[in-house]
Amino acid sequence: MKTKIINIDSKNIDIEKIKEAASLLTNGEVVAFPTETVYGLGANALDESAIKKIFLAKGRPSDNPLIVHINSKNELDKLVNFVPSIAEKLMDAFWPGPLTLIFEKNSNVPKIVTGGLETIAVRMPSHIVARKIIEYSLVPIAAPSANISGKPSPTMCEHVIHDLDGKIASIVCSDSSSIGLESTVLDITGEVPMILRPGGITKEMIESIVGRILIDPAIKKKHDQNLIAKSPGMKYRHYSPKADVIVFNGSKKNIVKKMKIELENYLKKGKKVGLMCTEEILSQINDVFSISLGSIKDMDLVGNKLFYVLREFDKLDIDIIFAEGFSEEGIGSAIMNRLNKSAGNNIINCD
Ligand code: TXA
Ligand code: MG
């Protein structure tokens, strides 16, 4: 299939180009487009055969449900039976933006969208290009991240082209994603809301609006194989570059010490090692290939660069990536969730 690349300047939007992408969606095609979290791979959420094309293009397991993207709160009526009052508060506080809410679905939504579940994930993105495309398509748009299943999520158009060129009708290119980590997924169907996937909207931010919430224990207990994640997507290997990843946790001093020891071990075995760390750590370890995550003082930037850096390593002939671990406060929780998954939970505690 020839993939049509459509370039749209988010600061000077050409509505004709928006209409071109939107009409492909309305006509049952799959179109990748930018959002503030990561690029998404969209199709009409109410068109079963269009949704099938998403699963096919990504190679995504069919039990992994999609997030449906809307442009106005009115569109919720097409997807859910009722909107609980807690949802109203959360939507007022965080929409448009990187918060996905899980509702009980209505019968209009094909089961393929929700992986057979009776619940549905919905979010209103803030990226102006995403919003315009959804608006002009006149339908709710189901969109997983626009990567091949298992690969790091795409934060730049070139990542989407790398993974999906030739497999979908169109790719809309615009700026790189400003957040760079996928949305927080929050289940509000139970008595107490529960985070199923940490993301750009932190636990602390949600609690400031609705009081105490829970985190799916399967996210925290990384080593307990018996805990099945409530969000189906969380159980799959994810964000994996070609190289193996090892996460080094602990105080910064001990991370440097342990990385130096392990570096010697791996180099002796003839392995090519790459470091994925902040400047503060990189400045203390010499003579090894590295890509910086920025400064430890700017954790939002660390989150923003994470998938980009994992993909940069894919272009190189590296065997092992040593990744710096971070504290799980605030955005650190989403960063560590993605890092641990990319490492397949290959974690060294350095303290
Ligand atoms: O930021 C984002 O959320 C991006 C952009 C494109 O919006 N989308 C994204 O979609 O990350 P995806 O498909 O890569 O991840 C969706 C996650 C998966 O972990 C999936 O299992 C979970 O949301 N999910 C979707 N529907 C669900 C449901 N009904 N119940 C529980 N988890 C659900
Ligand atoms: Mg994904």
Side-chain angles (χ1 to χ4, degrees):
M1 176 186 294
K2 174 109 180 79
T3 300
K4 173 91 199 268
I5 308 289
I6 303 176
N7 290 294
I8 300 183
D9 179 354
S10 64
K11 288 172 198 75
N12 182 18
I13 290 195
D14 179 344
I15 285 295
E16 288 313 310
K17 289 182 174 179
I18 295 279
K19 284 183 185 164
E20 187 182 356
S23 79
L24 284 168
L25 287 166
T26 316
N27 290 320
E29 291 299 338
V30 171
V31 177
F33 58 87
T35 88
E36 73 281 16
T37 58
V38 300
Y39 273 72
L41 185 60
N44 177 356
L46 304 177
D47 177 347
E48 194 171 330
S49 68
I51 299 299
K52 277 189 186 147
K53 294 181 190 169
I54 291 183
F55 283 90
L56 202 67
K58 271 187 72 100
R60 184 179 176 104
S62 63
D63 68 343
N64 192 0
L66 308 178
I67 295 172
V68 179
H69 296 64
I70 57 175
N71 176 53
S72 83
K73 276 195 334 191
N74 298 338
E75 283 178 296
L76 263 181
D77 298 340
K78 298 181 189 161
L79 307 168
V80 310
N81 285 326
F82 78 107
V83 177
S85 63
I86 193 158
E88 293 288 358
K89 284 189 200 152
L90 289 164
M91 291 188 293
D92 285 345
F94 301 117
W95 279 12
L99 178 68
T100 294
L101 297 175
I102 308 276
F103 297 88
E104 274 161 33
K105 88 177 203 40
N106 71 19
S107 55
N108 296 339
V109 183
K111 280 223 164 163
I112 182 173
V113 173
T114 63
L117 299 174
E118 290 302 331
T119 53
I120 181 170
V122 186
R123 107 173 174 94
M124 186 190 289
S126 63
H127 197 294
I128 183 72
V129 173
R131 294 289 291 287
K132 286 282 169 206
I133 289 174
I134 301 165
E135 180 188 342
Y136 280 86
S137 76
L138 303 173
V139 289
I141 299 294
S145 49
N147 52 281
I148 296 291
S149 258
K151 287 285 153 201
S153 298
T155 56
M156 297 173 136
C157 200
E158 64 169 80
H159 302 158
V160 184
I161 294 173
H162 176 273
D163 280 17
L164 295 167
D165 191 21
K167 295 184 175 147
I168 56 178
S170 177
I171 299 173
V172 175
C173 286
S174 190
D175 12 48
S176 52
S177 301
S178 59
I179 296 174
L181 296 169
E182 307 90 336
S183 62
T184 305
V185 177
L186 185 72
D187 186 354
I188 50 169
T189 61
E191 221 157 272
V192 184
M194 184 189 276
I195 290 184
L196 306 187
R197 178 177 73 180
I201 302 292
T202 63
K203 178 171 187 271
E204 294 83 347
M205 289 161 81
I206 297 170
E207 287 187 331
S208 76
I209 305 294
V210 297
R212 265 195 77 72
I213 61 166
L214 303 168
I215 296 195
D216 184 352
I219 295 174
K220 294 196 132 179
K221 301 238 171 58
K222 303 166 189 94
H223 303 294
D224 190 340
Q225 301 292 333
N226 297 323
L227 282 175
I228 308 276
K230 292 194 175 49
S231 180
M234 298 301 279
K235 70 173 181 276
Y236 293 107
R237 177 120 199 244
H238 249 129
Y239 319 119
S240 313
K242 287 182 204 146
D244 289 336
V245 180
I246 305 176
V247 178
F248 289 70
N249 277 335
S251 71
K252 297 300 169 193
K253 194 170 126 232
N254 288 345
I255 289 179
V256 170
K257 233 161 111 188
K258 186 70 178 164
M259 276 193 180
K260 282 182 174 169
I261 295 169
E262 290 300 326
L263 193 55
E264 240 187 78
N265 286 341
Y266 279 98
L267 293 180
K268 259 188 223 151
K269 289 187 218 158
K271 299 283 184 195
K272 286 190 191 145
V273 180
L275 302 191
M276 176 163 97
C277 304
T278 55
E279 299 294 350
E280 286 82 354
I281 297 251
L282 292 183
S283 63
Q284 299 180 61
I285 307 178
N286 300 321
D287 299 328
V288 57
F289 188 82
S290 61
I291 307 181
S292 169
L293 286 170
S295 166
I296 186 75
K297 296 189 193 100
D298 187 351
M299 288 306 290
D300 287 339
L301 186 63
V302 171
N304 186 271
K305 291 187 85 173
L306 193 71
F307 291 140
Y308 162 79
V309 171
L310 285 171
R311 278 181 179 263
E312 285 298 296
F313 274 114
D314 262 2
K315 296 181 188 161
L316 307 159
D317 220 9
I318 297 281
D319 299 307
I320 318 248
I321 299 169
F322 286 6
E324 173 182 351
F326 299 95
S327 131
E328 301 213 4
E329 287 155 54
I331 193 73
S333 157
I335 292 171
M336 288 311 292
N337 172 260
R338 309 310 190 269
L339 255 187
N340 290 334
K341 282 187 151 274
S342 78
N345 285 322
N346 194 355
I347 300 163
I348 297 181
N349 199 340
C350 309
D351 289 340

